[in-house]
Amino acid sequence: MATITRPLAGQERAAELNVLVRKQRSLWQDAMYRLVRNKAAMVGLGVIILAGLMAIFAPFIAPYSPTAIPNAANPTINADPFWTGTKYVDPRYLFGTDEIGRDILTRLIYSARVSMIIGFVPVALIFLIGVSVGMVAGYAGGWTDQLLMRITDVVYAFPDLLFLLIIMATLRGTDIGKFGGGLPLMFVGIAIVNWVGMARLLRGQVLSLKEKEFVEAARCVGATPIRILVRHLFPNAIAPAIVAVSFAIPSAMLTEATLSFLGIGVIPPTPTWGVMINDGFVVFSTSPWPVLLPAFCIAIVMLSFTFLGDGLRDALDPRMKI
Amino acid sequence: MLSYVIRRVLLMIPTLFFVAFITFVLAHSAPGSPFDKNQNRPLPEATIERLNRLYGIDQPIQNQFVLYLNNLVHLDLGSSLVKDRTVADIIGSEFPVSAQLGLQALFIALAIALPLGIVSALKQNTGIDYASLLFATIGTTIPAFVIAIFAIFLFGVNLRWFPFIGWGNGCGPLPSCDLKRMAMPTVILSLGAMAFLTRITRASMLEAIRQDYVRTARSKGLREQVVIVGHVVKNAMIPVATIIGPATAGLITGSFIIEWMFNVPGLGREFVLSINRRDYPLIMGVYMLYATLIVIANLTVDIVYGWIDPRIKLGR
Amino acid sequence: MTPRVKAPWSLLVAFMSIALVITACQSQPAGTTASQAPADQADPNGELVTNMGAEPDTIDPQKESFVQEIGVTMKVFEALMTPSLKDGKPIPAAAKDQPKVSSDGTEYTYTLRDGLKFSDGSPVTPADFKYGWERLCDPTTAGDYAFTGYIVKGCEKWNEMDTKKASKADLDAARQAFLDNIVTTNNAITFKLTEPAPYFNSIAAIWVGVPVKKAAIDKGGDKWTEPATFIGNGPFKLTEWKHNEKMTFERNDNFVGHDGQKAKLKKWTQVMINEGAVAFAAYRNNELDIYPVAAEDLRTIQGDADLTKQTVDGPGSCTFYIGFNNKKAPFTDPNVRVAFAKSFDRDQWVKDIIGGIGKPATSFIPPGIPGYDAEDTFQKFDPTAAKAALAKASPEATAALANLKVTYSSSARNKTRLEWFQQQWKTNLGVNVALDPVDATTYTQLVKKPETLPTMFLLGWCSDYYDQQDWLTTVFSSKASSARVGYTSKQFDDLVFAGDKELNPQTRDQDYQKASRLLSQDAAAAFIYYDATKLLEKPWVKNYSITSLGFEEAHFTDAYVTKKP
């Protein structure tokens, strides 16, 4: 990482004194230090890593197949979780079974996969599109900026969830939609409606940074615009984007859950927590657990991301809003 | 200022044109027809062809779009393809419900979020602060539909405190309000916004407290209450005020899942239904209305911002 | 349908929750109605609250096609005839008596009862009935069920005209030609049919030809179905329609039924709850008086003594089957079709897969519809016979068994159901069938056209009116209105077309019975089960139960509620 704080003349002495007291840290190391000391953020990170491992190793942990019904000829439907102690508990299925006899524990574990993927892939897309558009617009200015900003205006005008509803409901039945169980369609959908915020954020950052001395200096020594963008502006503008990402991930997961709950999300039988809540809602009067368990998973993961996001924000820029 | 507003208003036109274009193409690219109503008793092919002809959906899509725009300019939103009503009629009877639901939710959200945010900032790092932060965090992490499911069974079926289907008689004169019936959908819709607003209020309060003018006010010997109310809160409200527009638009356009769960006869629920039934004119009508709302909300943010905080220069 | 995209099976569930079904005496325990204890007395101001599921798209009698829409029409209007609650055969309603039929069977004359009035007090005339038929066949109405009117001379020709291309003169001529075939006097109406059609009397008992007031329609224009102008001659009048929330009906005091009865309910409210789970919750919260049970609710009901007591069983209205594309190998070979038809255990299916809400089916026409044949058990589960039939199959057909797949509308529930079949076919026939899930809308498209019809698929058929013709001729004859299975049989066609025209009821039933048995033996499709309705009824609801058409029908005068505790 490039060092971004160039000590000003007046501060040089102070910096030297600092060196005497403790080792000089870059802003990034500093942020890392603050983040690690934030307990809530670390707990959040721990849960996220755990969920990630669960997603990756699902086939090894889960007792059954997530889509097939164990013992399909004579399925055990609506078994209760073992802690309820009712007569519907079936020791073969610790967390019970759903209304068609699939093992709930297995489906919870596999659902982490979709949620994690939905959290990361579209957000990576958002990051990629938003950061490039925002930085180019901010740095180039002029008509490039005008054009790109008009495009963001259009996208900004879309009621985003409703637009996703249209995309999912209409394209799900086509070949594009069916590809990969509907996941790629959802990635693109979520990215399309959400990159604008990121772009505007980055544009603002670049606009304020590009007049700074270190950029001017880089320009003076003949750095190309690309080099300035990548080597100088990017590392300095990126902090708020990282915080934004940490909040975009849970919001993408929530979007997936909502769409799946309405029955227009991921194509069955792929399990996701939203799909499971949808399935469980039908039998809710019989047992609340098929709704409660996936809802609990969603809440825990979302909470973890929020904690991590808060921690990141405090660590990177304590004065940042939200 | 005026020329800026005019320019922004004019820019709304191409913006909305592109929204209409993209939505129109997407909606029509879906397989299936509005007349595929029932799998077990499908309509004869000849009947469907006749219906397609009658409603002009046998035409090439570009012709349909031009026709749609032409009608739109004349403020004709067309007729629903599956319902025996015009789109304007449907919007006219159902938008007020969504709007009322959204505004009520906004009101509740503000009524709770502002005091909570202010108090938690003033008592930073105390129990109150942590409690309200936790509340604000949980409010954004549990999906509204999950809360709705539990509320229905807990407060509806088990405790019998609230009825939970429909919207009652709406609210003309206040005594006729079916407040009990509105309670659950309104409160649950408000939770997300409430949490968000609490966080914003707290953050901007903390920011304001640290400002030099607050120190100046204190050193002038002003009473603490005067400092807080007159300087800190007043300035901390600027960012809060600016997001009220988008928050309202968000609440109104995003209430579909609450309307769905509680059978509120609003436009959001209608929209969800119309998408699956390929009711193109209704999809377009609702969507364009909501896009317009959002564009206006975004515009007001910029204008209000410039008006409240004169340091911000308008125009890009 | 609802946004939780429905597949045919789940569509059925949606259907059931939509199907707001009404009273009949048949399933009431005899004691309940006989004992007239004060607690059983009808509350003269009684209100019944039921759920209609989704909001009706239209309640225009000449446009509508969905059960909950038809339920509205049947409350607000009275047709000439009405299906008897006993056997579904048409009995007089607005008509004084059974129709007079000309000797060649092509002219039906109905005489109206004296003193019939619309809810606004104006008299009901034969011209109002005629206007209803005119709207049904009018191409500008574009009603979904216009084809039921095609049996009247001139209707088909006028209805099929292209209103945008045809000249006004041509349209007017076609209209006039049609209208000339419905003759009215001051108290009678005569229909001239294209051919003898005994089932016409059943069509006269459904919603399509109810009398509508021209003055009200002209006044209301596009919005005539709003309460102010939605004026009918039935037991109830629509007094409030809060779109997407509820409809309220009140007793029509200008109505007197054929049996001299008026509606016993003062008020009938139908709310629009789209989620079954929410409707069930609302029932338990006393916000609904009736709730159609889904298989998922059974455990809750069994665990609750009160709910168990409130359960009422009733007939269904649909038959579900595995469709074979009779024009595609291996199902071109009847032996293969027979083998598949006999290869799965219907009793186990009903018990395990649909939670007992339904009945195993070995023939097409379900109980409650004329022509139901309990003795037709050719398709019953018999793995030995199934294997034997498969052994007789031609080499080409046997070869085609290798890559067989069954197409269905994708949903978790359907998948379970098809996996069950997969298992059965594997065990009982030794055939591996692959699963081919497709999106719900795509599925509807595929099964509609003969060119795209999948090799094997799941489908159902539900009754429009009480007649074998609506089942056998409409679905499996070469004149079928939509592609179903590609079954063609000269022998079957001859039998059903003879039945359609046959004037002697006994001979007619025999023709249809032969046709129906032939259908089972040819195994044009493998019938799986007849659906059924299980209702929860609050104890204060009396005389409310279910008929076999799935939607509400006349006799709204019977249901009542006692004073609620």
Side-chain angles (χ1 to χ4, degrees):
Chain A
M1 281 298 163
T3 332
I4 60 168
T5 39
R6 311 175 89 243
L8 300 173
Q11 291 174 333
E12 248 160 32
R13 241 184 82 76
E16 267 166 26
L17 283 173
N18 218 7
V19 171
L20 294 177
V21 182
R22 53 178 186 159
K23 199 167 156 260
Q24 168 89 55
R25 286 198 304 248
S26 77
L27 181 106
W28 290 98
Q29 286 165 323
D30 211 30
M32 188 56 97
Y33 176 72
R34 278 196 294 259
L35 182 64
V36 172
R37 286 189 9 154
N38 184 327
K39 284 198 197 86
M42 281 302 106
V43 171
L45 186 65
V47 172
I48 293 164
I49 292 175
L50 215 67
L53 290 175
M54 197 162 92
I56 295 168
F57 296 106
F60 303 101
I61 314 169
Y64 297 98
S65 147
T67 52
I69 298 151
N71 190 12
N74 186 19
T76 313
I77 60 166
N78 292 328
D80 279 338
F82 71 90
W83 58 84
T84 58
T86 66
K87 62 173 173 167
Y88 299 103
V89 170
D90 185 328
R92 285 173 297 173
Y93 312 107
L94 287 183
F95 282 38
T97 55
D98 66 6
E99 87 285 5
I100 58 172
R102 292 172 298 198
D103 181 46
I104 287 183
L105 176 60
T106 304
R107 285 175 69 77
L108 283 175
I109 294 172
Y110 272 90
S111 295
R113 288 194 151 180
V114 174
S115 289
M116 285 291 154
I117 295 173
I118 282 288
F120 286 106
V121 179
V123 173
L125 284 176
I126 292 171
F127 187 81
L128 220 68
I129 306 173
V131 168
S132 347
V133 171
M135 290 188 60
V136 168
Y139 187 76
W143 67 265
T144 322
D145 185 28
Q146 281 295 318
L147 179 73
L148 289 174
M149 283 304 107
R150 287 296 81 77
I151 294 176
T152 65
D153 275 348
V154 172
V155 182
Y156 225 48
F158 281 98
D160 43 10
L161 255 177
L162 299 189
F163 187 68
L164 263 177
L165 283 184
I166 298 188
I167 295 187
M168 292 308 295
T170 55
L171 296 183
R172 252 173 125 239
T174 64
D175 290 335
I176 309 171
K178 271 191 263 183
F179 176 68
L183 280 175
L185 179 63
M186 199 181 280
F187 296 157
V188 175
I190 292 178
I192 286 180
V193 293
N194 285 310
W195 63 270
V196 177
M198 188 72 76
R200 294 203 163 179
L201 190 67
L202 262 290
R203 175 177 173 271
Q205 286 282 312
V206 171
L207 277 182
S208 66
L209 285 174
K210 76 174 178 186
E211 308 302 333
K212 290 263 161 72
E213 293 87 346
F214 70 94
V215 178
E216 234 158 86
R219 211 177 286 137
C220 288
V221 298
T224 60
I226 303 273
R227 189 181 161 81
I228 293 175
L229 270 175
V230 176
R231 296 283 305 196
H232 300 276
L233 287 174
F234 180 78
N236 287 292
I238 207 63
I242 289 175
V243 177
V245 159
S246 74
F247 290 113
I249 291 175
S251 124
M253 288 177 171
L254 192 65
T255 304
E256 182 276 325
T258 307
L259 291 174
S260 294
F261 177 72
L262 280 173
I264 49 177
V266 178
I267 295 171
T270 311
T272 82
W273 292 323
V275 167
M276 291 183 72
I277 292 174
N278 184 350
D279 291 344
F281 183 35
V282 179
V283 294
F284 194 82
S285 64
T286 303
S287 162
W289 295 105
V291 170
L292 209 54
L293 292 169
F296 180 76
C297 292
I298 293 184
I300 288 295
V301 170
M302 301 257 302
L303 213 56
S304 303
F305 272 107
T306 314
F307 283 156
L308 182 63
D310 281 344
L312 276 172
R313 179 204 55 206
D314 291 344
L316 287 168
D317 182 355
R319 291 197 358 241
M320 213 181 288
K321 293 272 170 61
I322 301 180
Chain B
M1 177 80 179
L2 187 67
S3 71
Y4 170 74
V5 174
I6 293 173
R7 193 161 59 93
R8 285 292 303 268
V9 171
L10 287 178
L11 267 174
M12 281 170 63
I13 296 168
T15 304
L16 289 174
F17 169 82
F18 279 112
V19 173
F21 177 72
I22 294 168
T23 318
F24 195 90
V25 172
L26 257 181
H28 281 76
S29 65
S33 130
F35 310 117
D36 287 339
K37 286 188 189 172
N38 187 338
Q39 280 168 340
N40 292 330
R41 225 181 321 187
L43 294 179
E45 198 64 11
T47 308
I48 291 184
E49 271 165 28
R50 199 158 51 247
L51 289 169
N52 282 343
R53 259 202 320 270
L54 190 72
Y55 290 107
I57 50 182
D58 57 335
Q59 298 288 313
I61 185 161
Q62 61 273 24
N63 297 8
Q64 289 186 51
F65 183 62
V66 170
L67 187 68
Y68 183 81
L69 276 189
N70 189 25
N71 290 340
L72 199 62
V73 170
H74 296 97
L75 293 179
D76 176 8
L77 293 170
S79 287
S80 162
L81 295 181
V82 295
K83 290 198 164 201
D84 208 5
R85 301 173 73 193
T86 63
V87 174
D89 185 33
I90 292 173
I91 290 179
S93 77
E94 282 154 30
F95 178 64
V97 174
S98 290
Q100 189 192 347
L101 174 63
L103 291 174
Q104 281 176 188
L106 178 78
F107 181 76
I108 290 181
L110 284 173
I112 293 179
L114 295 186
L116 207 58
I118 291 172
V119 169
S120 102
L122 293 178
K123 311 261 176 198
Q124 198 187 0
N125 297 332
T126 63
I128 298 175
D129 184 26
Y130 292 137
S132 69
L133 261 185
L134 189 69
F135 162 77
T137 313
I138 289 177
T140 49
T141 50
I142 302 180
F145 57 89
V146 174
I147 298 178
I149 294 176
F150 282 93
I152 285 175
F153 280 85
L154 183 62
F155 300 118
V157 178
N158 291 340
L159 296 172
R160 303 217 168 156
W161 287 354
F162 299 102
F164 50 85
I165 51 167
W167 192 237
N169 292 317
C171 275
L174 197 66
S176 77
C177 271
D178 200 342
L179 288 178
K180 264 184 129 176
R181 203 172 284 275
M182 291 175 178
M184 288 211 287
T186 307
V187 170
I188 295 173
L189 178 62
S190 75
L191 289 179
M194 201 187 287
F196 180 68
L197 285 168
T198 307
R199 290 172 74 101
I200 294 255
T201 310
R202 178 178 177 274
S204 74
M205 280 290 291
L206 289 179
E207 171 94 19
I209 286 173
R210 283 196 286 261
Q211 296 297 322
D212 292 341
Y213 55 76
V214 173
R215 204 174 305 141
T216 315
R218 282 211 179 102
S219 55
K220 275 196 303 190
L222 288 179
R223 276 188 302 134
E224 185 63 13
Q225 277 167 324
V226 178
V227 176
I228 297 297
V229 176
H231 292 83
V232 180
V233 175
K234 196 176 154 206
N235 284 291
M237 285 305 105
I238 294 177
V240 179
T242 55
I243 61 156
I244 285 179
T248 315
L251 281 172
I252 293 176
T253 60
S255 61
F256 61 91
I257 201 137
I258 293 297
E259 293 179 10
W260 182 255
M261 297 298 293
F262 290 98
N263 289 282
V264 176
L267 208 46
R269 177 161 164 239
E270 187 76 64
F271 182 75
V272 175
L273 286 164
S274 67
I275 290 180
N276 271 289
R277 308 191 57 183
R278 314 283 188 255
D279 191 351
Y280 312 123
L282 191 52
I283 298 174
M284 290 302 296
V286 178
Y287 201 77
M288 290 314 292
L289 173 72
Y290 280 176
T292 313
L293 266 184
I294 287 184
V295 172
I296 292 174
N298 292 341
L299 176 61
T300 37
V301 177
D302 294 352
I303 295 173
V304 169
Y305 216 85
W307 176 63
I308 300 184
D309 189 345
R311 286 171 303 178
I312 291 163
K313 270 184 272 166
L314 291 177
R316 294 180 272 197
Chain C
M1 250 63 49
T2 68
R4 325 171 94 205
V5 178
K6 295 291 180 192
W9 301 98
S10 49
L11 180 115
L12 174 71
V13 177
F15 219 53
M16 297 321 305
S17 49
I18 285 164
L20 223 272
V21 260
I22 196 200
T23 152
C25 320
Q26 67 219 57
S27 57
Q28 282 290 340
T32 339
T33 35
S35 65
Q36 284 294 324
D40 278 355
Q41 220 114 78
D43 176 358
N45 294 318
E47 180 186 3
L48 181 68
V49 185
T50 57
N51 180 26
M52 58 167 32
E55 156 150 298
D57 293 334
T58 173
I59 52 169
D60 185 327
Q62 277 87 35
K63 283 186 182 175
E64 65 199 8
S65 61
F66 269 95
V67 280
Q68 81 273 36
E69 302 165 1
I70 295 159
V72 171
T73 295
M74 298 303 247
K75 277 202 263 317
V76 176
F77 293 90
E78 187 183 40
L80 288 165
M81 308 297 282
T82 189
S84 132
L85 292 178
K86 198 163 86 286
D87 56 7
K89 301 260 182 197
I91 54 171
K96 196 184 271 176
D97 219 329
Q98 290 289 346
K100 276 204 274 305
V101 185
S102 66
S103 55
D104 65 350
T106 61
E107 283 189 21
Y108 278 68
T109 305
Y110 295 85
T111 308
L112 300 192
R113 283 193 281 134
D114 297 328
L116 291 179
K117 280 184 194 151
F118 280 109
S119 58
D120 64 352
S122 59
V124 178
T125 66
D128 298 317
F129 279 95
K130 183 170 179 177
Y131 187 58
W133 278 86
E134 179 184 339
R135 294 187 78 243
L136 177 68
C137 296
D138 188 336
T140 55
T141 308
D144 290 349
Y145 264 61
F147 62 88
T148 53
Y150 287 3
I151 189 69
V152 177
K153 257 191 219 170
C155 176
E156 183 165 11
K157 181 163 177 266
W158 183 31
N159 189 255
E160 291 197 333
M161 287 175 86
D162 186 337
T163 48
K164 284 184 181 161
K165 292 204 184 105
S167 72
K168 190 167 177 311
D170 287 349
L171 281 165
D172 284 344
R175 170 171 174 270
Q176 197 51 50
F178 164 71
L179 289 180
D180 288 346
N181 291 308
I182 300 178
V183 183
T184 55
T185 65
N186 61 352
N187 70 342
I189 180 165
T190 303
F191 299 90
K192 296 182 181 165
L193 310 184
T194 55
E195 58 179 25
Y199 59 89
F200 179 74
N201 208 21
S202 289
I203 294 180
I206 60 171
W207 66 98
V208 295
V210 295
V212 286
K213 256 178 92 84
K214 186 164 192 309
I217 295 178
D218 290 345
K219 186 171 156 220
D222 285 343
K223 292 187 177 177
W224 82 273
T225 51
E226 295 295 324
T229 44
F230 194 63
I231 293 168
N233 61 334
F236 286 90
K237 55 188 178 191
L238 176 67
T239 51
E240 189 192 24
W241 183 359
K242 292 196 69 179
H243 285 284
N244 271 327
E245 184 168 0
K246 64 176 179 186
M247 286 178 137
T248 311
F249 302 89
E250 278 175 38
R251 185 193 299 139
N252 172 12
D253 287 318
N254 283 316
F255 170 85
V256 181
H258 201 273
D259 51 4
Q261 295 286 325
K262 289 180 184 239
K264 294 190 185 69
L265 289 169
K266 170 94 164 87
K267 200 169 164 191
W268 187 326
T269 304
Q270 289 195 287
V271 294
M272 300 158 189
I273 305 179
N274 34 17
E275 286 286 355
V278 175
F280 189 25
Y283 176 82
R284 298 171 80 190
N285 199 26
N286 287 349
E287 288 191 74
L288 275 179
D289 294 328
I290 308 277
Y291 169 72
V293 177
E296 298 85 27
D297 308 323
L298 289 173
R299 205 179 99 188
T300 314
I301 294 170
Q302 280 154 10
D304 184 322
D306 282 342
L307 291 178
T308 310
K309 260 190 278 172
Q310 293 166 10
T311 315
V312 179
D313 284 304
S317 58
C318 309
T319 302
F320 288 86
Y321 55 88
I322 295 276
F324 308 127
N325 187 339
N326 285 226
K327 293 203 154 62
K328 225 184 210 172
F331 296 112
T332 41
D333 186 334
N335 288 313
V336 179
R337 301 201 300 258
V338 169
F340 273 85
K342 286 173 177 262
S343 67
F344 55 92
D345 187 346
R346 292 170 174 82
D347 294 324
Q348 197 202 337
W349 163 273
V350 169
K351 186 167 105 355
D352 290 345
I353 308 293
I354 56 169
I357 309 181
K359 221 182 138 184
T362 49
S363 65
F364 187 40
I365 300 179
I369 301 290
Y372 168 62
D373 186 354
E375 257 105 76
D376 180 5
T377 55
F378 176 81
Q379 291 200 355
K380 72 171 190 295
F381 176 50
D382 184 347
T384 328
K387 279 202 196 87
L390 197 63
K392 281 190 282 179
S394 67
E396 302 85 62
T398 316
L401 288 175
N403 34 31
L404 205 52
K405 60 179 185 178
V406 57
T407 306
Y408 64 97
S409 167
S410 174
S411 77
R413 178 154 303 133
N414 270 352
K415 186 165 180 288
T416 337
R417 296 181 154 173
L418 268 304
E419 272 170 356
W420 182 86
F421 274 106
Q422 216 177 11
Q423 192 93 15
Q424 291 277 316
W425 288 324
K426 195 171 176 180
T427 323
N428 302 326
L429 286 180
V431 177
N432 282 313
V433 181
L435 300 187
D436 175 30
V438 296
D439 180 76
T441 0
T442 317
Y443 185 73
T444 316
Q445 300 267 312
L446 288 180
V447 295
K448 224 161 50 180
K449 296 193 189 98
E451 312 86 73
T452 58
L453 193 68
T455 320
M456 273 177 111
F457 49 96
L458 266 181
L459 218 53
W461 180 255
C462 306
S463 216
D464 297 322
Y465 42 88
Y466 285 100
D467 198 275
Q468 294 97 318
Q469 185 265 352
D470 182 45
W471 287 79
L472 300 170
T473 317
T474 315
V475 184
F476 286 110
S477 79
S478 54
K479 275 201 229 161
S481 55
S482 53
R484 305 299 290 190
V485 296
Y487 172 70
T488 41
S489 159
K490 172 96 176 40
Q491 203 187 349
F492 178 83
D493 275 5
D494 289 346
L495 283 167
V496 293
F497 295 151
D500 292 352
K501 296 189 192 76
E502 178 57 53
L503 297 180
N504 178 326
Q506 276 83 33
T507 324
R508 185 164 186 266
D509 284 350
Q510 281 164 14
D511 284 343
Y512 282 135
Q513 191 185 39
K514 279 184 211 150
S516 177
R517 290 199 170 179
L518 181 67
L519 192 67
S520 306
Q521 282 156 28
D522 275 353
F527 306 112
I528 312 166
Y529 79 108
Y530 311 117
D531 70 345
T533 316
K534 201 186 255 307
L535 291 184
L536 285 175
E537 280 183 15
K538 291 289 179 191
W540 51 81
V541 177
K542 305 287 174 193
N543 265 357
Y544 181 105
S545 78
I546 304 139
T547 58
S548 308
L549 288 198
F551 50 79
E552 303 171 357
E553 39 187 303
H555 305 283
F556 289 92
T557 50
D558 295 332
Y560 65 93
V561 294
T562 59
K563 287 247 187 329
K564 295 180 191 179

